[in-house]
Amino acid sequence: MSASLDDVKDFDYIISEASRIDNEMNSSNFKQFYEKEYNRPLGSIGMTINPPSEPLAAHKNIHQRQIHLSYAANEKFYEIAARFIKSHKLQMLVTIEELVTNIKKSFYIHIFIDDGGDGAIGYTQLLNKSLKLTKKEMTKEEFYFPLLAHGCTKERVSIGCTEIISVENMYSRIGNNLTPDQLSIASKFCAANKYPYEHFLRIPISKRSKKS
């Protein structure tokens, strides 16, 4: 999906603010400017984008610098991320904060390393790189719940995206991830009731970020 007109306006604004602040920070009255610009309780904390270490390691000829953000410019990153998550239906898969982190990282790379362009084409590339970084950080999970399934003789019974599996099948899937003590506790739990648990309900959770 292409960058929207709002995305283009917001990225242009972020760049113009970064340029304005950079010029003021190099002026003779930078102390007064700094105090006026960052006049909130936390000052300038969180208002810079630092060089990402891995990409710069492969481009040692590039001068490392920070990108300074105004409060308003920083908020634009959150607006861009919120629109992107909504338009890509990622609400349950990634948080705005996590995507902002990757958009900022991609923004730095786009500007200083890739010498990327602006406008809809350039910012679409930037956002696509952010999405790629975010997807790399996503992990898939599975949950297993003990289940009484009397009369079920099959190893697996699919019910939509979930399935009923035998206890043997469950252990074959996750046994290597459990310690001997954990396996012992699980086995005792399944056998402790009047009717032992011989099946589990397996619920796979699609790839998502750590905080979502």
Side-chain angles (χ1 to χ4, degrees):
M1 187 175 291
S2 299
S4 67
L5 291 176
D6 286 335
D7 294 332
V8 173
K9 287 167 55 179
D10 287 348
F11 276 124
D12 284 345
Y13 177 75
I14 291 168
I15 291 173
S16 68
E17 284 290 89
S19 177
R20 176 184 68 82
I21 293 173
D22 190 56
N23 289 334
E24 292 289 351
M25 293 288 277
N26 290 319
S27 67
S28 58
N29 64 338
F30 75 92
K31 288 185 178 180
Q32 294 90 331
F33 165 78
Y34 187 91
E35 292 175 358
K36 183 178 179 180
E37 182 72 22
Y38 300 112
N39 57 5
R40 295 181 183 177
L42 294 179
S44 63
I45 294 176
M47 295 300 114
T48 56
I49 303 177
N50 294 316
S53 56
E54 291 182 10
L56 282 179
H59 299 82
K60 296 181 179 179
N61 59 317
I62 295 178
H63 176 65
Q64 295 191 26
R65 67 187 80 178
Q66 290 181 319
I67 298 176
H68 296 277
L69 304 173
S70 64
Y71 294 133
N74 189 55
E75 289 169 3
K76 291 298 181 184
F77 277 109
Y78 286 83
E79 294 175 16
I80 292 168
R83 285 194 300 267
F84 191 85
I85 286 173
K86 184 177 180 180
S87 64
H88 285 74
K89 296 180 171 58
L90 299 171
Q91 290 92 333
M92 301 295 291
L93 304 179
V94 64
T95 65
I96 291 176
E97 186 73 38
E98 288 171 311
L99 184 57
V100 165
T101 298
N102 284 328
I103 291 177
K104 286 182 176 181
K105 182 176 181 179
S106 298
F107 181 79
Y108 190 102
I109 294 171
H110 186 77
I111 298 297
F112 290 127
I113 297 178
D114 293 344
D115 194 22
D118 57 6
I121 294 176
Y123 298 144
T124 296
Q125 293 172 343
L126 192 164
L127 288 171
N128 286 338
K129 290 173 186 174
S130 305
L131 179 60
K132 187 175 181 180
L133 285 176
T134 301
K135 285 185 173 180
K136 282 184 178 180
E137 297 169 354
M138 291 181 176
T139 56
K140 186 177 180 180
E141 291 183 294
E142 293 182 344
F143 292 89
Y144 296 85
F145 299 93
L147 182 72
L148 292 176
H150 297 305
C152 181
T153 58
K154 295 182 178 180
E155 281 289 304
R156 297 170 57 187
V157 177
S158 297
I159 308 173
C161 65
T162 66
E163 61 180 0
I164 297 173
I165 61 175
S166 68
V167 66
E168 292 82 7
N169 192 310
M170 187 274 292
Y171 285 132
S172 70
R173 287 171 176 268
I174 68 171
N176 292 334
N177 297 319
L178 301 176
T179 66
D181 286 344
Q182 289 172 326
L183 284 170
S184 177
I185 292 171
S187 297
K188 289 177 181 178
F189 173 81
C190 290
N193 297 297
K194 180 179 179 180
Y195 299 103
Y197 291 116
E198 297 179 345
H199 296 84
F200 276 75
L201 178 65
R202 172 182 167 271
I203 302 178
I205 305 298
S206 59
K207 281 190 173 183
R208 60 189 61 238
S209 67
K210 294 179 180 179
K211 297 181 181 179
S212 63

